[in-house]
Amino acid sequence: MSTADSQPIRVLVVEDDPVAADAHVMYVGRVPGFTAVGKAHTGAEARRMLDRTPVDLLLLDLHLPDVHGLQLARSLRAAGHHTDVVAVTSARDLTVVREGVSLGVVQYVLKPFTFATLRDRLVRYAEFRNAAGEASGQDEVDRALATLRAPGPAALPKGLSGPTLERVTGALRGSDEGLTAAGVAETVGISRITARRYLEHLVDAGRAGRAPQYGQVGRPELVYRWVRESERGR
């Protein structure tokens, strides 16, 4: 059975940032087989909605103004709610990841993320959820569990390295006005040509934008700007 042949998976978005909440609702609505049934900005609001609205999956920010997301998940389990959880967080504490496994957290999505990242997690969750029948053996059980795991990171283009990409990304994210390739080169300590290669890679991945900077004598320079999460997928 596929999500296309059954009722859509009902998702409640729990996110305190209104702009991010709207973006996440939009993202969910763009994935076939899923529907966003509402959004909540606090843990208390999420509990009230769950008491009156059937929900299959929480897209849950872990840092809410009134409760930590894992505490909310724990209280929901104690109250008899068995809704699965995709945790959304900027925290990278693996202790939190381990704790979440026992509370129904089936996926983690690190902020900032693109629509493509969330779509991949939701599709994998749907495949796992729709697995039915009796497994023929260990291999089939392993394959069912493997659907929840994201694929390994995509290989970088030849000549680019992960550590340098992280430094370029950090420089760009830290600049509200954007940076030229020369500005990134100076900040990171690489050549301008190398900086441009990394910046163009971020543009191709949808994580950065570029625009010409006018007002100077001579040929205008390209200014690169980090694309914030709320701007992606538009």
Side-chain angles (χ1 to χ4, degrees):
M1 179 178 65
S2 69
T3 55
D5 301 324
S6 61
Q7 293 297 318
I9 295 173
R10 297 160 297 192
V11 182
L12 175 61
V13 172
V14 186
E15 165 66 58
D16 67 320
D17 182 342
V19 175
D22 288 342
H24 297 169
V25 167
M26 179 188 68
Y27 284 176
V28 170
R30 292 172 58 189
V31 182
F34 289 82
T35 183
V37 297
K39 57 186 175 183
H41 301 303
T42 66
E45 187 178 356
R47 290 190 191 95
R48 290 194 296 270
M49 294 189 70
L50 283 165
D51 286 339
R52 65 175 186 264
T53 305
V55 174
D56 302 307
L57 181 67
L58 289 181
L59 188 59
L60 177 63
D61 181 20
L62 294 189
H63 294 286
L64 299 171
D66 59 340
V67 66
H68 190 277
L70 291 187
Q71 293 177 336
L72 174 61
R74 186 177 295 107
S75 67
L76 292 176
R77 286 291 179 269
H81 291 287
H82 299 292
T83 307
D84 289 326
V85 176
V86 170
V88 177
T89 179
S90 57
R92 287 158 169 76
D93 187 347
L94 293 179
T95 301
V96 174
V97 174
R98 289 196 299 271
E99 183 180 356
V101 171
S102 64
L103 299 173
V105 176
V106 295
Q107 291 276 13
Y108 278 84
V109 183
L110 291 180
K111 293 182 176 181
F113 59 85
T114 64
F115 165 68
T117 296
L118 180 61
R119 178 184 58 198
D120 174 79
R121 300 304 190 276
L122 293 181
V123 169
R124 287 172 178 275
Y125 167 75
E127 292 175 357
F128 175 76
R129 176 186 171 88
N130 289 330
E134 184 174 346
S136 61
Q138 184 67 51
D139 287 348
E140 192 167 342
V141 172
D142 291 342
R143 282 196 298 272
L145 292 174
T147 60
L148 286 174
R149 294 199 294 268
L156 291 173
K158 185 177 180 180
L160 303 189
S161 72
T164 302
L165 180 61
E166 288 185 9
R167 288 158 56 204
V168 170
T169 298
L172 204 59
R173 291 182 64 183
S175 174
D176 292 333
E177 302 299 323
L179 291 169
T180 62
V184 169
E186 182 178 355
T187 301
V188 176
I190 55 180
S191 73
R192 184 177 59 82
I193 294 176
T194 299
R196 185 179 293 276
R197 289 194 63 202
Y198 281 95
L199 290 167
E200 289 296 326
H201 170 71
L202 291 174
V203 170
D204 291 342
R207 298 166 66 190
R210 61 174 179 259
Q213 177 177 273
Y214 296 97
Q216 297 180 356
V217 177
R219 186 176 180 180
E221 285 191 279
L222 288 176
V223 174
Y224 295 83
R225 185 176 66 86
W226 183 255
V227 177
R228 308 297 171 186
E229 176 186 338
S230 60
E231 300 172 305
R232 296 177 186 171
R234 291 181 178 177

